[in-house]
Structures are given as C-alpha cells and as structure tokens.
Amino acid sequence: MKTDLGSSLTRRLAEDVGRFVAERSEILFNEHDFQMHLAVWLNMTRRYDGVEIEYYVPNSMARDAGYEWDSNLKLDLVVRSGGEYAVIELKYPTRKVVSPITRFGTLVPDVEVVKNHGAQDLVSYHFWKDVRRIEIVRSLFPDSVKGGLAVILTNEPYYLKGPGAGTICEAFSTAQGRSGVHGKLDWTRQTKTAEGNPGFRLDGHYSVEWHPAEFSGEKFNYAIITI
C-alpha cells in the first residue's frame, strides 16, 4: 500500500502550518482571513522563496489529467522553494462565535466574529476534493510540484466525529482516526446535494488526525492531509 507522506517541502510546510496555528491567539474571521494571514506568516518565516494566493490553473489543462469538475483550479496558496512548488488548500467551516474585539484601540462588544456554515456534508466533500485537486496538479507538473497540503480548521465538532453509517456523505467523512482513504469516493445515493458534485478517485492513501487549537478563548481543531 502506497501512503502519501509527502516530499521534504510538504513535510516542512505541514510543520509550519502547525506552528502558525499554535502561535496565533486571535480568532480568524473567515476562510479568506485564514488564507491571507497564513500567506503573510509563511512569507515572514523567510523559509520559502515565494508564496502566491489564488493561483490559477485552467480547466482545459486539468481535464486532460482526469479532473472531474467543470471549474478552473484556483488554488488557495502556492509556495515555492527554489525550483520546487507545493500547494496548500484551506477549509475553515465554523459554528457561530460571538466575542468582543478591539478595533482602533476601542473594545467592541458582542461581535459575531465567525458565522454558522452548516452544510457539513458538502464541506466534507470539498475537503477531499481539495486532496484530489492537489493530486491533479502534481500529476500535471511532476518535475516541479512536489505535492501539497489539504488543511481544515474548525470549531464544529461534527468534522471530528464524522457522519453516521449509511448517510449519503459517509465516504467523505473526516472523522478522527479514519485511515486508508483511497480509491473511489462517492455519495451513497443521488440527491440534490450530490447534483453537480460528482464522485472522484484518490490516487494516494490518506489518514485523518486532528489536533487542538485555541483562538480568543474558543476551542478549535485542525487536520492536515499531506499529499
């Protein structure tokens, strides 16, 4: 069995993402906030030669490599070290948090700092889709793209527990300790949720391990899949 543990670049990136989460104390407002702060932080480490956001790969190229979707690839982060590249895809599904924040030296009480996202079945689907997207990019550019990371950061307990057996999104579970995720992932039955979200195949074998984090007194957890 082939298990994807990643290149030295992706392993270093996984360590650095863990450091970013551990060192951060203020809550992130949304996924874009996560993306921007992580990009700035990675640049500031001076361990990489470049960090780009919303990196575009045309669908016409991706489809030739087996990409199952009609959309273009807009990758959250692409990190360069010398002539090597790695992709980082981010997910930040949350439940609502109301907290005071300080703005321009003034304390603002009772701010909804993160919102309820819901749609946990689709978020789980898109997390594993991120893994597939990175596999596709690596296959398109095997000489330069060494792999990447699919990262999920959340305060929603659902993702650690995963869906129940027999639910339509069982194949896309992100439950703690899930291992050997490989091959065809698909909905157990076709519903409106599944429309436009086709099943897909993972080349590698992956496992899910969650780690605790805390921002602004709110408990979070994160998991990193290294491709």
Side-chain angles (χ1 to χ4, degrees):
M1 177 186 296
K2 178 186 175 229
T3 301
D4 280 68
L5 299 175
S7 67
S8 59
L9 173 57
T10 55
R11 290 194 298 271
R12 184 181 1 142
L13 270 176
E15 292 172 0
D16 282 340
V17 171
R19 283 178 55 213
F20 167 80
V21 172
E23 293 177 7
R24 185 169 180 84
S25 59
E26 187 175 348
I27 202 165
L28 296 154
F29 290 100
N30 50 47
E31 191 170 295
H32 181 69
D33 199 29
F34 186 13
Q35 179 189 32
M36 295 301 295
H37 277 92
L38 178 58
V40 170
W41 189 90
L42 289 171
N43 261 320
M44 289 177 63
T45 67
R46 300 186 181 277
R47 285 158 58 87
Y48 306 97
D49 297 314
V51 180
E52 295 195 44
I53 63 171
E54 297 299 313
Y55 199 90
Y56 170 80
V57 178
N59 178 264
S60 57
M61 176 180 288
R63 293 285 286 192
D64 290 342
Y67 189 60
E68 291 91 344
W69 299 273
D70 294 329
S71 60
N72 298 310
L73 281 80
K74 292 183 180 178
L75 306 169
D76 288 332
L77 298 171
V78 169
V79 178
R80 181 175 65 86
S81 179
E84 296 185 345
Y85 295 80
V87 176
I88 303 178
E89 292 280 74
L90 304 173
K91 286 288 175 284
Y92 187 59
T94 53
R95 59 179 179 176
K96 183 171 74 172
V97 174
V98 175
S99 174
I101 62 172
T102 300
R103 285 298 175 265
F104 301 104
T106 300
L107 185 67
V108 184
D110 301 328
V111 176
E112 187 179 84
V113 289
V114 295
K115 299 180 181 297
N116 274 326
H117 277 96
Q120 290 94 343
D121 49 1
L122 280 173
V123 172
S124 301
Y125 170 90
H126 284 289
F127 174 72
W128 289 108
K129 177 181 173 180
D130 283 347
V131 174
R132 178 59 179 160
R133 282 156 55 95
I134 295 170
E135 288 185 341
I136 289 289
V137 173
R138 184 175 59 181
S139 70
L140 281 170
F141 306 97
D143 295 332
S144 55
V145 176
K146 301 305 175 183
L149 310 175
V151 182
I152 182 169
L153 173 64
T154 185
N155 64 341
E156 172 55 73
Y158 169 92
Y159 296 102
L160 282 75
K161 296 176 183 177
T167 56
I168 65 167
C169 60
E170 182 180 0
F172 307 110
S173 171
T174 59
Q176 166 63 26
R178 187 181 182 200
S179 61
V181 185
H182 171 70
K184 186 66 179 291
L185 304 185
D186 209 346
W187 309 94
T188 58
R189 58 188 181 276
Q190 291 302 304
T191 66
K192 287 188 176 180
T193 301
E195 289 178 8
N197 296 298
F200 54 91
R201 181 172 297 279
L202 296 178
D203 296 330
H205 293 76
Y206 304 101
S207 299
V208 182
E209 182 178 355
W210 288 91
H211 308 276
E214 183 173 333
F215 310 117
S216 304
E218 179 74 12
K219 302 295 185 183
F220 277 75
N221 288 276
Y222 70 97
I224 301 174
I225 302 292
T226 301
I227 297 97

